[in-house]
Amino acid sequence: MNNKDKIIKLELLGIILLIISLITDILELKSISVVIIIMSPLIIPAIYKEKEEKIENENIKVIKSIEDIEKELSEKKEVSSDNYTKLYEQSKYKKPPFSLLENKEKEPLIDTENIESSKEKINTVFIEHKIPAEVDKINMGPNFTQYEIKLEKNVRLDKIVNIKKELSFASGDNDAIIEIPIPGKNTIGITVKNKEHFKVYLETLLKKIKETDELSFPLGFNMIGEDIYSSLQKENSFLITGTVGTGKSMFLNDMLITFLYTKTPEELKMILIDPKRIEFSNYNDIPHLLTPVVTNINNAFRTLEKLIVEIEDRCNKFKNIKVKNIQKYNEYVENELKKDSKISLNKMPYILVIIDELSNLLFTDKTRFIELITKISSMSRTTGIYLIATTNQPYAVEKELKESLHSTISFSLTESLYATKVGILDANKLLGPGEMIYKSQNNNKQLRIQAPYISDEQIESILNNIKEKNGISNYSNKYKETTYKEALNNNSKDVLYDEILNYAIRMGQISASIIQRKYSIGYNRAARIIDLFEEQGIIGPANGSKPRDVLIKLEEDNNE
């Protein structure tokens, strides 16, 4: 029974006793009356004592609560640079448990005897050819072992080239990759496949990511088994290439699943463009998505155009409060919320855009696609909108596109020509699935990495868990797919529409770039008019970078 109930009952008892006392006086039952009168002074003060104790206890609880809060905040000073809003937002998103990821690491079965034997055989080859060189270091990774060879000064490298076959035979692998020299080093490398392989599990690397504002994700293990990480803030944009079945799709899932574990929807939003309709359909309805997975080519272009508008909106917000980038903007919002938690300000989420496969858009309208990609990637660092584009057709990668996608990851490619085209040397010599070469925009060094493994079953169970715990995603109206027929019905036809239509009919061909030059308008506006013409059947389908054919003749237009 709580204090309030006790007080009410005591008050009622006191009233009842007084009433009984009056009745007994009337009925002249003096003995009872005397008892009640004697008890009343004991009961009535008890009522007020209960009230006083209640008030006193409540004061103690309030004071204790404030002291607890102050203590809790003082303990968190070293831990968090985020405000209460972020902590609250994080609590709303229920992350999946680590138990859904495999947690049993398979230890490598190292054949020490065989490795030492190969080392001695390699050294013997050098002795027989009177070359002052020997195996200086052995680097063991998940799928391969590298023998690192140190040369004495003034040894000509062509001597090593002449004995490559013998070195491969001595290493026990006729398909061994011999690097003369190892990129970034003054040593020679002989890389051979391990007889026993072990997987690099995503969970192992994911648990080591710290709670920071960095959008970090694991790349995998390097050749000697060290953890390698990167972040979207450092790289801004990626080109990921590789032939079918080499691990490109698994790596994309590694990255996406990592962010679903480490970032809330308030911190990171995603747009997934999948014209092949293969990779991302199961990601629909997760709370991080701004829009359902985009599978239609025309909608993909429109989504990218909306991102250009998003970039402009963000830049205007930065300008209004005199900050330079998204980090400074979020710091400003955080400080303002500390002053007044009721103000209408929200932190800006980062946005990750993944396009898989870029060739579908490139072959549809190369000029338009490259211009959109260039604009988005050029503003990544400022606006926090990061871009990843993948392809299994590296021959389609244009120079302008490669320059816009700053960093490169390449899985195995079939030909050295393709490797050269994407700016990665020896991507055609990678040994197995999941092995890749990573080249950051921050330096020209190539790093050989084994990507972490995650199964289709794990991905499915993690996504289902997120959907069940967090409900269906509320997609942004800003990125809602609308047809241009709907836009016309909403009286949003461009003021230049009729004039451009007449010009297009007279010329017989039209393109966004022609409209830009002729009418001195921006590319996005010109592209929207082209889309509108296509939606209404005025122009034919895209034909690479060539202008579109106009399907309406001048005579027909006059007759109308």
Side-chain angles (χ1 to χ4, degrees):
M1 186 183 297
N2 58 35
N3 289 333
K4 187 176 180 181
D5 291 336
K6 286 180 181 178
I7 291 167
I8 291 170
K9 288 191 175 183
L10 285 168
E11 286 175 340
L12 287 172
L13 182 58
I15 292 167
I16 291 167
L17 287 171
L18 290 172
I19 292 169
I20 293 171
S21 176
L22 290 171
I23 293 170
T24 53
D25 283 341
I26 294 167
L27 297 175
E28 296 183 349
L29 298 173
K30 293 183 179 179
S31 59
I32 297 174
S33 180
V34 169
V35 172
I36 292 171
I37 290 168
I38 291 169
M39 289 179 64
S40 293
L42 299 174
I43 294 169
I44 301 300
I47 294 170
Y48 293 102
K49 186 178 179 183
E50 283 282 341
K51 286 185 177 182
E52 287 171 359
E53 285 178 355
K54 177 176 180 288
I55 293 167
E56 185 179 349
N57 288 336
E58 284 180 345
N59 288 336
I60 291 169
K61 286 179 182 178
V62 170
I63 292 168
K64 185 179 178 183
S65 175
I66 292 170
E67 287 173 349
D68 285 347
I69 290 170
E70 289 175 345
K71 183 180 177 183
E72 187 177 345
L73 291 176
S74 66
E75 288 173 353
K76 289 183 177 180
K77 280 181 181 178
E78 300 293 326
V79 177
S80 176
S81 61
D82 296 325
N83 61 12
Y84 307 120
T85 304
K86 181 176 176 182
L87 294 172
Y88 172 69
E89 288 171 347
Q90 285 181 333
S91 67
K92 290 195 294 184
Y93 173 60
K94 296 175 183 176
K95 297 178 182 180
F98 276 105
S99 59
L100 296 178
L101 288 167
E102 288 185 23
N103 53 14
K104 292 182 180 179
E105 299 179 32
K106 184 180 177 183
E107 294 295 331
L109 301 174
I110 301 172
D111 189 350
T112 307
E113 186 177 337
N114 184 58
I115 291 172
E116 286 297 322
S117 174
S118 296
K119 174 185 172 181
E120 293 303 319
K121 289 177 181 177
I122 292 169
N123 286 336
T124 300
V125 171
F126 290 129
I127 292 168
E128 289 175 352
H129 287 274
K130 297 181 180 179
I131 298 173
E134 64 178 358
V135 176
D136 181 59
K137 193 176 180 183
I138 298 174
N139 302 317
M140 288 182 288
N143 297 321
F144 49 83
T145 297
Q146 182 190 65
Y147 298 92
E148 194 170 333
I149 298 155
K150 185 178 180 181
L151 302 176
E152 294 292 333
K153 291 182 180 180
N154 302 321
V155 175
R156 292 172 56 182
L157 294 180
D158 59 352
K159 288 186 176 183
I160 308 297
V161 174
N162 293 333
I163 59 170
K164 282 176 73 174
K165 287 185 178 179
E166 292 176 65
L167 290 171
S168 294
F169 183 76
S171 70
D173 186 354
N174 290 331
D175 295 322
I177 296 175
I178 300 180
E179 298 170 292
I180 309 174
I182 296 173
K185 292 188 175 184
N186 294 322
T187 53
I188 291 167
I190 301 175
T191 304
V192 300
K193 291 181 182 178
N194 292 340
K195 291 183 179 180
E196 296 290 339
H197 303 265
F198 72 94
K199 290 177 180 176
V200 178
Y201 290 109
L202 178 61
E203 184 201 23
T204 308
L205 296 163
L206 185 53
K207 283 185 173 180
K208 296 179 183 178
I209 294 178
K210 296 178 181 178
E211 290 290 334
T212 68
D213 285 335
E214 285 280 318
L215 294 169
S216 299
F217 58 93
L219 292 169
F221 281 4
N222 66 7
M223 293 189 70
I224 56 176
E226 295 174 330
D227 306 345
I228 305 296
Y229 295 85
S230 185
S231 78
L232 295 179
Q233 284 103 327
K234 289 178 182 176
E235 307 297 347
N236 298 328
S237 59
F238 279 94
L239 171 65
I240 301 177
T241 185
T243 53
V244 176
T246 56
K248 177 168 53 70
S249 297
M250 185 180 69
F251 179 70
L252 287 178
N253 282 304
D254 286 336
M255 188 183 294
L256 288 170
I257 295 298
T258 294
F259 290 136
L260 294 181
Y261 269 96
T262 60
K263 298 298 169 189
T264 68
E266 292 79 14
E267 294 172 306
L268 177 67
K269 290 292 186 182
M270 301 177 186
I271 293 175
L272 305 179
I273 298 175
D274 183 17
K276 296 185 299 181
R277 302 169 186 259
I278 295 173
E279 295 301 332
F280 299 136
S281 59
N282 53 347
Y283 283 87
N284 272 321
D285 293 329
I286 62 169
H288 294 72
L289 288 191
L290 279 171
T291 181
V293 175
V294 181
T295 56
N296 179 276
I297 294 289
N298 287 331
N299 285 335
F301 276 106
R302 290 167 194 160
T303 300
L304 294 175
E305 286 166 358
K306 289 172 184 176
L307 278 169
I308 301 297
V309 176
E310 177 76 31
I311 286 171
E312 292 170 355
D313 288 346
R314 290 189 170 200
C315 287
N316 287 333
K317 287 182 179 179
F318 300 160
K319 184 179 178 181
N320 290 338
I321 62 169
K322 298 179 181 179
V323 297
K324 293 183 178 180
N325 54 44
I326 185 171
Q327 288 86 0
K328 294 296 181 183
Y329 178 86
N330 285 340
E331 286 176 13
Y332 169 83
V333 171
E334 186 175 326
N335 290 330
E336 292 301 306
L337 286 170
K338 284 179 180 177
K339 296 174 188 175
D340 182 1
S341 61
K342 295 180 181 180
I343 61 173
S344 180
L345 272 178
N346 292 306
K347 282 187 174 184
M348 222 175 249
Y350 294 97
I351 299 176
L352 171 61
V353 185
I354 298 182
I355 303 171
D356 183 57
E357 140 94 37
L358 68 82
S359 63
N360 293 74
L361 281 75
L362 196 62
F363 294 151
T364 300
D365 192 336
K366 182 176 75 173
T367 303
R368 182 182 178 192
F369 179 64
I370 290 176
E371 184 162 348
L372 288 168
I373 294 300
T374 302
K375 285 183 178 179
I376 294 169
S377 63
S378 67
M379 297 299 291
S380 290
R381 192 179 297 276
T382 300
T383 60
I385 299 175
Y386 304 107
L387 182 64
I388 295 171
T390 78
T391 184
N392 56 24
Q393 302 179 46
Y395 53 82
V397 177
E398 301 283 335
K399 182 182 177 182
E400 301 155 289
L401 187 61
K402 178 65 189 73
E403 289 173 351
S404 296
L405 298 169
H406 305 115
S407 298
T408 307
I409 291 173
S410 182
F411 292 84
S412 183
L413 297 173
T414 54
E415 297 183 27
S416 60
L417 178 63
Y418 298 157
T420 304
K421 193 167 179 69
V422 297
I424 298 288
L425 299 177
D426 296 330
N428 57 309
K429 295 179 181 179
L430 292 171
L431 295 177
E435 191 184 0
M436 65 182 182
I437 294 175
Y438 160 65
K439 188 176 181 181
S440 170
Q441 66 160 342
N442 299 311
N443 57 60
N444 283 321
K445 292 182 179 179
Q446 294 191 170
L447 191 58
R448 202 162 172 171
I449 297 170
Q450 180 66 38
Y453 173 80
I454 185 171
S455 68
D456 292 339
E457 292 76 19
Q458 287 174 314
I459 295 166
E460 194 66 30
S461 63
I462 289 167
L463 294 177
N464 287 339
N465 181 275
I466 291 171
K467 293 172 192 177
E468 288 169 8
K469 286 183 176 179
N470 297 279
I472 297 174
S473 176
N474 293 318
Y475 297 121
S476 169
N477 289 328
K478 189 184 292 186
Y479 293 90
K480 181 182 176 184
E481 292 182 1
T482 55
T483 66
Y484 278 92
K485 285 181 180 177
E486 291 174 333
L488 275 177
N489 293 334
N490 291 328
N491 298 318
S492 59
K493 188 169 80 170
D494 195 289
V495 292
L496 290 174
Y497 176 86
D498 293 333
E499 186 178 344
I500 294 172
L501 175 59
N502 288 328
Y503 175 77
I505 293 171
R506 289 198 308 273
M507 298 301 295
Q509 288 185 322
I510 196 68
S511 69
S513 56
I514 289 173
I515 295 173
Q516 275 185 279
R517 291 193 297 271
K518 174 72 177 173
Y519 295 95
S520 300
I521 62 175
Y523 177 80
N524 292 334
R525 186 178 174 188
R528 282 195 289 271
I529 293 171
I530 288 293
D531 281 340
L532 186 52
F533 285 169
E534 182 180 11
E535 190 77 30
Q536 295 175 326
I538 294 170
I539 60 176
N543 184 21
S545 59
K546 296 179 181 178
R548 310 273 195 107
D549 291 328
V550 179
L551 305 179
I552 297 176
K553 302 297 181 184
L554 186 61
E555 292 81 2
E556 292 176 5
D557 186 63
N558 289 335
N559 290 336
E560 291 177 16

